[in-house]
Amino acid sequence: MTTIKDQVAVEATIAEREWADVTEAAMASVADCFTQREPRLPARQMCEAMLMELGTRNCWTLAEALGHCEALGHCGPHRLQHFLARARVDHDLARDRLAAQLTSELTDGQAVLEVDETDDEKSSTDAVGAAHQYSGALGGVGLCQVAVHLTYASARGHAMIDRELYLPAAWAADEDRRLLAHVPDEREFATKPQLTAGMLERARALGIHARWTAADEVYGGRELRLAARYLGFDYTVAVKTDHRVTTSAGTFTAAELAEHVPKNAWARMRTGHGLKGDRHYDWALLDVPADDTPTGHAAGHSHLVIRRHRYTGEPSFYRCHSATPVALATLVDVICFRWKVEEDFQLGKSGCGLDQGQTTCWNLWMRWTFISMLAATVLAVTRLRATDQATRGRDDATRPA
């Protein structure tokens, strides 16, 4: 028992030391994103407070948490509110610096860039981008903001590295609301797949090492798949049951093709562990012609992967492409790996205040999201380093003299 307690104490000490080092490195990486030195301190303090165990996260609760240390001088939310409302921060440069730092720590050569959207319920359409639109959290149409996020995931860890606020067409065309919310003139309406393509292009420009990109069926259209291939990404994207595939025998929907899969072509595979034990599904792989080959690119290897629930028989479909031959098991791993982005949303909302910012204008949303992603980056890298250190310590302790 004493040995276990000592081990836990050592690992906690390692985590605390790594957390301080990682926070310092993260703030150093974004230091020149501030036009003045003064906003750096409240930015760091907000990041630290985000990671405290708080019921809700807003300027009042963060300031109250920070106020327990008299040296920080927080007797109210005013300094934090001033940072959010008036500080001059190059949000895009800060985003790129955080992405570079995170991916340099987590890279393993087989990383996946995962895209998905999250939403925040709002009480007024005056909030930037707020409109009556579909919300997964609300389970239907509601008044909310929707943002598309890009997660970098590898076997070493995962965290969000990019974000785009979605402006519905009517909102983007309303000059009065744009003016009140300080939306940049160059920001026009773009679909969610178009926003995603821009994030993938930025990832390539930053030299981020990732082989795959994965997404759900909102992003399964030809436009994004074409952009992914043009940028050199292999992909696995979910498609709808009525997704049409043209073969040498004619054009069929994904559901129609599934009906002709021979019984011996299905393979049962474990895809994770849930509350009720291991999850198993039946999988099948069909070679299909590529419909998204950019000019001057090789055709590569295009597939339709079908997942079937082993009890209900309900199917799901995934359009996949790889430049080199891959096994079904590899594609299944990438498809299942996409759920890391859901874990990042859960952590971002429950532990880093991602959905709790009372933001009504463009810059406020950007700054709050920056602080949330900064906190998530610090947490992800700290966990990785602490785990590596603890593992090395245990290996050293068990190694024969």
Side-chain angles (χ1 to χ4, degrees):
M1 181 65 69
T2 301
T3 302
I4 295 176
K5 288 183 178 179
D6 290 345
Q7 179 179 321
V8 171
V10 169
E11 292 182 0
T13 302
I14 292 173
E16 183 177 358
R17 182 175 64 248
E18 293 295 343
W19 180 84
D21 291 343
V22 171
T23 302
E24 192 66 34
M27 290 307 303
S29 71
V30 300
D32 62 343
C33 302
F34 300 87
T35 57
Q36 298 176 323
R37 293 186 59 187
E38 288 76 9
R40 298 180 197 171
L41 180 59
R44 176 172 185 150
Q45 292 171 350
M46 285 189 72
C47 171
E48 293 173 346
M50 284 286 193
L51 295 174
M52 296 179 183
E53 294 185 5
L54 304 175
T56 58
R57 290 169 175 80
N58 55 51
C59 288
W60 284 93
T61 59
L62 297 180
E64 182 180 359
L66 293 167
H68 291 307
C69 178
E70 295 182 1
L72 296 178
H74 283 276
C75 56
H78 315 298
R79 289 175 61 188
L80 303 185
Q81 290 172 339
H82 183 274
F83 165 75
L84 289 176
R86 299 179 180 84
R88 295 183 179 181
V89 185
D90 188 333
H91 310 113
D92 293 340
L93 180 60
R95 169 204 64 205
D96 293 346
R97 294 288 174 77
L98 287 178
Q101 183 193 17
L102 177 79
T103 56
S104 67
E105 296 274 354
L106 302 186
T107 185
D108 67 354
Q110 293 293 320
V112 182
L113 292 177
E114 305 165 359
V115 60
D116 205 351
E117 61 196 64
T118 186
D119 48 78
D120 304 330
E121 186 177 8
K122 295 297 176 183
S123 59
S124 170
T125 56
D126 291 336
V128 60
H132 290 278
Q133 51 194 323
Y134 178 77
S135 165
L138 299 177
V141 175
L143 181 57
C144 59
Q145 284 175 330
V146 173
V148 182
H149 290 264
L150 191 69
T151 276
Y152 182 91
S154 74
R156 292 172 57 78
H158 53 92
M160 289 179 286
I161 62 170
D162 206 345
R163 76 291 174 265
E164 287 285 5
L165 181 61
Y166 172 69
L167 298 180
W171 210 105
D174 191 323
E175 292 298 333
D176 291 337
R177 282 195 292 189
R178 289 177 64 97
L179 185 63
L180 290 172
H182 305 287
V183 177
D185 292 339
E186 64 273 12
R187 186 58 186 268
E188 299 178 348
F189 170 73
T191 65
K192 295 168 187 175
Q194 288 170 343
L195 295 175
T196 301
M199 291 191 289
L200 292 178
E201 186 174 357
R202 285 197 292 267
R204 272 292 183 241
L206 289 172
I208 290 175
H209 298 290
R211 175 181 177 181
W212 297 92
T213 184
D216 67 14
E217 62 185 28
V218 174
Y219 307 89
R222 182 177 180 274
E223 180 183 22
L224 181 57
R225 292 187 282 111
L226 178 65
R229 290 197 56 189
Y230 179 81
L231 294 168
F233 291 107
D234 292 340
Y235 65 74
T236 64
V237 295
V239 293
K240 299 180 180 180
T241 57
D242 60 354
H243 174 77
R244 303 189 73 79
V245 180
T246 300
T247 70
S248 57
T251 300
F252 305 92
T253 66
E256 290 171 339
L257 289 175
E259 293 176 357
H260 294 87
V261 176
K263 290 184 178 180
N264 60 1
W266 293 96
R268 182 160 297 177
M269 297 184 185
R270 177 182 179 275
T271 59
H273 187 78
L275 295 176
K276 298 181 180 180
D278 290 345
R279 293 190 296 267
H280 292 85
Y281 290 90
D282 294 331
W283 297 83
L285 181 146
L286 301 177
D287 294 331
V288 297
D291 65 347
D292 51 20
T293 304
T295 303
H297 285 61
H301 302 267
S302 182
H303 311 284
L304 180 70
V305 172
I306 307 170
R307 185 187 71 180
R308 186 179 66 187
H309 195 285
R310 59 175 175 154
Y311 298 124
T312 66
E314 181 181 358
S316 301
F317 304 94
Y318 303 87
R319 194 72 189 253
C320 308
H321 182 274
S322 63
T324 58
V326 291
L328 172 61
T330 300
L331 295 175
V332 170
D333 286 343
V334 177
I335 289 169
C336 296
F337 216 54
R338 194 192 70 79
W339 293 106
K340 298 297 183 183
V341 69
E342 299 294 344
E343 295 178 14
D344 286 340
F345 284 153
Q346 183 178 2
L347 174 63
K349 293 181 176 183
S350 64
C352 301
L354 181 63
D355 64 336
Q356 298 179 35
Q358 302 303 308
T359 56
T360 57
C361 74
W362 181 268
N363 282 338
L364 281 172
W365 187 88
M366 286 293 179
R367 291 182 188 125
W368 185 271
T369 305
F370 158 61
I371 294 297
S372 179
M373 291 176 64
L374 174 62
T377 297
V378 168
L379 188 58
V381 177
T382 297
R383 283 175 171 173
L384 172 65
R385 291 189 181 182
T387 300
D388 287 348
Q389 286 277 6
T391 300
R392 285 195 291 269
R394 289 193 294 269
D395 290 344
D396 292 342
T398 58
R399 186 176 295 115

